[in-house]
Structure formats: structure tokens, C-alpha cells
Amino acid sequence: MVVLVAACTQQADNRPLGDVVVRGAGCELLAEQAVRLATGVENLRFDGQLVHGQPFPACEVYEKLNDDSEGDLLLAVDLQEPVTNTAEQQVSSRLKEGLPSIPADIGKGVSGSIRDSHDDRVIGMFAQTFLGTRLLTIEIYKEVPDRDRRADAIEFLRQLRPVLLAPLQTSSPTS
């Protein structure tokens, strides 16, 4: 009698996120299907509005448990103009600390782990880049088995950078 034993291996989830930027979607900009794929959560609640040229600095995505409550923070997009350091100084400092850089085609930036301040365990992954003094940061907190959170954060950054860090248009008065 011959018995065949096969090891059960789970395939890595390498599906591309697809279009991350969809006008009028979550926070006026984020494609729900891309957030679902990156976080593994179906029911989402978006908090914020990311509209280019507007002062709103952040969008947070939570798991929606029911009409009255929400679960954990899943993903955050933060657009800021640092007060104490320039965006370039912040990114350069993190690169000097040894955090990996983002792909060169996106621009200068860094990616790495988000760690719990109490026990130093990894609780998420981030990627960030800048233009002038404006700093764009993507953070993914939800762990999806066999999915690369760093690659997903970088892909969000790749697609959001041209929209959120594009030079601000100033209108000149007509004479």
C-alpha cells in the first residue's frame, strides 16, 4: 500500500490592487476595492476627505462593524506640511536610520514597519514620500495572511503621489 502525503501550502496573495484612485469614492478619492484587497476587510468606514488643494490632511479607514460601531483602524493616508522639520529632512533622517527606500520611480521616500511603542512588535507598515514641504504617508495596519503590506503601501503611494502632491494650482487675477 502506497500513501501519498502532500504538504498543504497556501499561495501568497499577489493580486494587484488595481486602481487606487477613484474620484468620488472613499474619502472622495480611495477605491474601496483596493482598500478591501489590501486589508482583507469587506465592510469599511471612511473618515475624512482627501481633496487636492483643500486643507483636510488625512483619511482613515476603519472596519465597520454595524451602524453604531466601528472596529480597528485599517489604513491611514496622511498629507501634511511639517512644522518643525521639512519633509525632506524627515525622510532623509529615516533613510539614515536604515529604513528601506521606496522605488526610485516614485521619488525620494522611505518605507518600513510601524511598531507598538509598548512592546516593539510590528503593528503595521508605512510608506512615505514628499514634494517640497508636503509629506505624504500611507499606513496599513491590518495583517492579511500571505499579503505584502509593504508592497501595498508603496502601491497606494505610487498612485496617490501624483494626485495629492501635484503642484498646487494658483489662479492669477485677470487684468
Side-chain angles (χ1 to χ4, degrees), residues 85-101 108-110 128-130 135:
N85 293 333
T86 67
E88 184 174 9
Q89 288 170 331
Q90 286 192 31
V91 168
S92 295
S93 172
R94 288 182 158 189
L95 287 168
K96 287 177 186 172
E97 292 169 6
L99 290 174
S101 61
K108 190 172 182 183
V110 67
Q128 64 185 177
T129 189
F130 65 92
L135 182 70

Side-chain angles (χ1 to χ4, degrees), residues 96-152:
K96 287 177 186 172
E97 292 169 6
L99 290 174
S101 61
I102 60 172
D105 65 316
I106 301 176
K108 190 172 182 183
V110 67
S111 63
S113 300
I114 303 167
R115 296 187 171 274
D116 187 295
S117 59
H118 299 294
D119 60 12
D120 201 39
R121 67 184 173 89
V122 175
I123 59 172
M125 196 64 61
F126 79 94
Q128 64 185 177
T129 189
F130 65 92
L131 180 64
T133 60
R134 291 178 293 151
L135 182 70
L136 175 60
T137 304
I138 310 297
E139 298 170 317
I140 299 177
Y141 291 97
K142 177 71 175 173
E143 181 74 58
V144 179
D146 296 316
R147 186 132 184 110
D148 185 347
R149 280 190 292 186
R150 179 178 182 265
D152 286 345

